[in-house]
Amino acid sequence: MKRTIRTIAVLLCVVMVASSLYGCTINLTVDVQNDAVPAGNNSVVVQPTTPTTTAAPATTAATTAAATDASQPAASDASQPAASDASQPAASDAGEPAAPAPSGELSSSSSKEEIVAEYAKVYNATKATGTFLGKDSMTCESIVVDGKDNGTLKNLAGKFISANGTDLKLPPYSDENPANECLITAADVQEATYTDNGDGTATIKITPVETTNDKKYQGAQGKMFNVMEDVGSALASVPVVSWSEGDANSNVTLVTKEGYAEVTYNKDTKIMTKADYVLVTYAEIVHCNVLMFKDKSATAKFVYTMSFPQ
């Protein structure tokens, strides 16, 4: 499969040269396929939070006693049975937490380890079908040059980079080295949530921990997504780029964070019905010389989404 990461590398350098770009016409397209190095999406990443329900305090015996009419004698006839029959179940307070899920089933209070284990079953079962295929999209959401946000360059970057892949398999994937089983573990996960949708399906959302310069199949992000990689090597081959100090490998850092995988699946078959894999990459470049511009720094935020089914 063809990868044109060099195009992205050139862009990351060129965006630091704002004034020299405005009058230029540059037609660069990244051909993103199953094993391509992606960056970005056309939708805004929303990190929903799970609402927290606080249970109302249960009615206590002390509260009940306080509510008793003061005109009544405090002492009760010992021959009379206690007001509350122990054989009768206590009244259910509307504020009490919901009953726990049956043994073996997940719930919103399941542990991270339990949710990740369930995700692995779902991922493996869906991947085995070979029919759950998706499409991708990407966008550059921000560009900061020498500490200043530059909206003009961000819009310009959108004209350079695009993704329109189809028939894509669940990430991480390449034809040369297919990852047919889930690689992610609880140790790789920052947060995992489970929601029973009440219609026979459930939704799992997993946010991997933040990582730097992950390789595909390696590191928390590399185990979940088709991560961007080898940018330093690509920059090293660009003639107009040099470095005030160090080299491409030491001056280019790819920070992956804030991304997530959200999958909805049939609880009986463990087969996904819908999935979104959102990879967020911050490409940071320092000490870069481009043409007459010396010792420049820039950070570009890319968001790449794979959506299933296509």
Side-chain angles (χ1 to χ4, degrees):
M1 289 291 180
K2 179 174 59 177
R3 297 188 306 179
T4 52
I5 185 59
R6 184 175 182 275
T7 302
I8 295 178
V10 171
L11 173 65
L12 291 177
C13 288
V14 172
V15 295
M16 294 184 289
V17 194
S19 60
S20 67
L21 280 180
Y22 297 147
C24 298
T25 300
I26 306 174
N27 297 313
L28 302 178
T29 300
V30 176
D31 184 4
V32 180
Q33 300 185 32
N34 283 344
D35 67 337
V37 180
N41 114 42
N42 291 320
S43 62
V44 177
V45 177
V46 178
Q47 299 286 2
T49 57
T50 303
T52 302
T53 302
T54 303
T59 301
T60 64
T63 304
T64 303
T68 304
D69 188 336
S71 64
Q72 297 298 321
S76 60
D77 190 336
S79 64
Q80 297 300 318
S84 175
D85 189 336
S87 64
Q88 298 299 320
S92 175
D93 190 313
E96 290 294 330
S103 178
E105 290 189 15
L106 295 185
S107 71
S108 59
S109 60
S110 294
S111 69
K112 179 172 68 175
E113 288 75 14
E114 291 171 325
I115 296 173
V116 172
E118 176 76 352
Y119 169 79
K121 294 177 183 177
V122 171
Y123 179 93
N124 293 341
T126 305
K127 193 74 169 285
T129 67
T131 60
F132 194 63
L133 304 177
K135 60 183 180 180
D136 64 0
S137 61
M138 64 180 170
T139 189
C140 178
E141 293 211 341
S142 67
I143 293 178
V144 177
V145 181
D146 286 341
K148 297 180 180 180
D149 188 77
N150 194 308
T152 301
L153 288 180
K154 183 197 76 170
N155 295 334
L156 187 62
K159 299 178 182 180
F160 294 162
I161 299 179
S162 64
N164 55 4
T166 57
D167 296 333
L168 305 177
K169 299 173 183 177
L170 289 174
Y173 185 86
S174 74
D175 285 341
E176 293 79 14
N177 185 20
N180 289 318
E181 293 187 354
C182 178
L183 300 175
I184 204 81
T185 67
D188 300 315
V189 175
Q190 174 181 318
E191 182 180 17
T193 62
Y194 173 91
T195 303
D196 190 325
N197 299 321
D199 59 358
T201 69
T203 298
I204 288 176
K205 182 177 180 180
I206 291 181
T207 303
V209 298
E210 176 181 334
T211 60
T212 300
N213 294 335
D214 270 1
K215 302 295 185 183
K216 193 178 289 188
Y217 311 119
Q218 300 175 21
Q221 303 277 338
K223 293 177 183 178
M224 178 70 79
F225 306 111
N226 289 342
V227 294
M228 185 187 295
E229 55 185 348
D230 298 330
V231 173
S233 298
L235 284 176
S237 66
V238 179
V240 297
V241 175
S242 62
W243 308 95
S244 297
E245 60 181 75
D247 57 19
N249 290 323
S250 62
N251 289 323
V252 179
T253 302
L254 300 177
V255 179
T256 44
K257 59 182 179 179
E258 303 170 3
Y260 61 89
E262 187 169 34
V263 304
T264 298
Y265 66 98
N266 183 297
K267 292 168 61 178
D268 293 329
T269 64
K270 306 298 184 187
I271 301 297
M272 295 181 191
T273 59
K274 183 179 184 299
D276 290 303
Y277 287 78
V278 181
L279 168 67
V280 181
T281 302
Y282 290 82
E284 302 174 352
I285 299 178
V286 295
H287 304 308
C288 186
N289 304 324
V290 182
L291 301 176
M292 74 289 296
F293 298 89
K294 306 299 181 183
D295 200 17
K296 291 291 181 177
S297 63
T299 300
K301 178 183 178 181
F302 295 108
V303 180
Y304 173 78
T305 297
M306 299 181 72
S307 300
F308 300 82
Q310 59 191 10

